[in-house]
Amino acid sequence: MILLPLLLAAAPMGTLPVFQDTGGLDRAVAAFTSRPIGAEGGARTAIDTRLRLAQCPTVSLAWRSDAHDAVVVSCTGPDWRIFVPVIRPADAPAARAVPAMLAPAKAEPVIRRGDPVLIEAGSPGFSISREGVAVGDAPPGGRVMIKVDGSSTPVQAVAIEAGRATLPGWTD
């Protein structure tokens, strides 16, 4: 019983862990965005005060993406990082979307499920081929699983044309 008061008295005062001031982080985000919390272009809400981040001597702020939809607040001293969502203006352009006319057209499959397929692989002086049945669909250059007789597991192949495929890594 006497030992406990002695240990408490010997422990230095103020050894409680010190956490990063979230209010200071809020002010830094507001300065970075040039907008106050809750305003268009500013942080959506204040950083949660219950968040316990290790004290950081120098925080770094950057936009998460070109869309400016969040600010990344990070520290490299003790390694931590948080994302602070930003209220985007109504007239702000959306994140880069691929216009429909620029999106690649989906190629029609040349091999369809259930089709008989000849798998070929070879080089000068060497050639091997096996027959099987396609387990799925594949466009030219696409991968497809082929069920080969005598094997319990299907073989992965690259579709070349209707009824023909090759093993990955082999050229036609």
Side-chain angles (χ1 to χ4, degrees), residues 42-63:
R44 287 186 187 172
T45 61
I47 297 171
D48 192 346
T49 57
R50 296 173 293 180
L51 192 60
R52 300 291 181 231
L53 299 169
Q55 185 73 35
C56 182
T58 306
V59 293
S60 170
L61 295 122
W63 289 110

Side-chain angles (χ1 to χ4, degrees), residues 109-118 131-138 144-149 154 161-164:
V110 291
I111 296 177
R112 296 197 181 270
R113 181 179 183 176
D115 285 353
V117 178
L118 179 64
E131 291 182 349
V133 177
V135 177
D137 299 347
V144 63
M145 299 302 284
I146 308 290
K147 178 73 172 152
V148 179
D149 290 334
E161 60 185 30
R164 280 190 63 218

Side-chain angles (χ1 to χ4, degrees), residues 4-23:
L4 183 59
L6 290 175
L7 287 174
L8 289 174
M13 298 305 272
T15 59
L16 296 175
V18 179
F19 297 111
Q20 184 69 37
D21 175 30
T22 57

Side-chain angles (χ1 to χ4, degrees), residues 16-166:
L16 296 175
V18 179
F19 297 111
Q20 184 69 37
D21 175 30
T22 57
L25 295 178
D26 285 330
R27 289 186 296 277
V29 169
F32 181 78
T33 61
S34 304
R35 301 279 190 253
I37 296 171
E40 195 172 89
R44 287 186 187 172
T45 61
I47 297 171
D48 192 346
T49 57
R50 296 173 293 180
L51 192 60
R52 300 291 181 231
L53 299 169
Q55 185 73 35
C56 182
T58 306
V59 293
S60 170
L61 295 122
W63 289 110
R64 183 180 74 89
S65 68
D66 291 336
H68 292 200
D69 57 348
V71 175
V72 180
V73 182
S74 59
C75 180
T76 56
D79 196 21
W80 56 259
R81 165 177 71 172
I82 62 171
F83 297 85
V84 180
V86 172
I87 300 171
R88 292 174 23 109
D91 61 346
R96 287 188 215 170
V98 177
M101 63 183 183
L102 296 180
K106 189 172 182 180
E108 285 295 315
V110 291
I111 296 177
R112 296 197 181 270
R113 181 179 183 176
D115 285 353
V117 178
L118 179 64
I119 305 171
E120 302 170 308
S123 61
F126 169 76
S127 175
I128 187 169
S129 63
R130 292 289 305 255
E131 291 182 349
V133 177
V135 177
D137 299 347
R143 304 251 174 159
V144 63
M145 299 302 284
I146 308 290
K147 178 73 172 152
V148 179
D149 290 334
S151 176
S152 61
T153 58
V155 175
Q156 188 180 76
V158 178
I160 298 173
E161 60 185 30
R164 280 190 63 218
T166 187

Side-chain angles (χ1 to χ4, degrees), residues 12 31 109 172:
D172 188 24

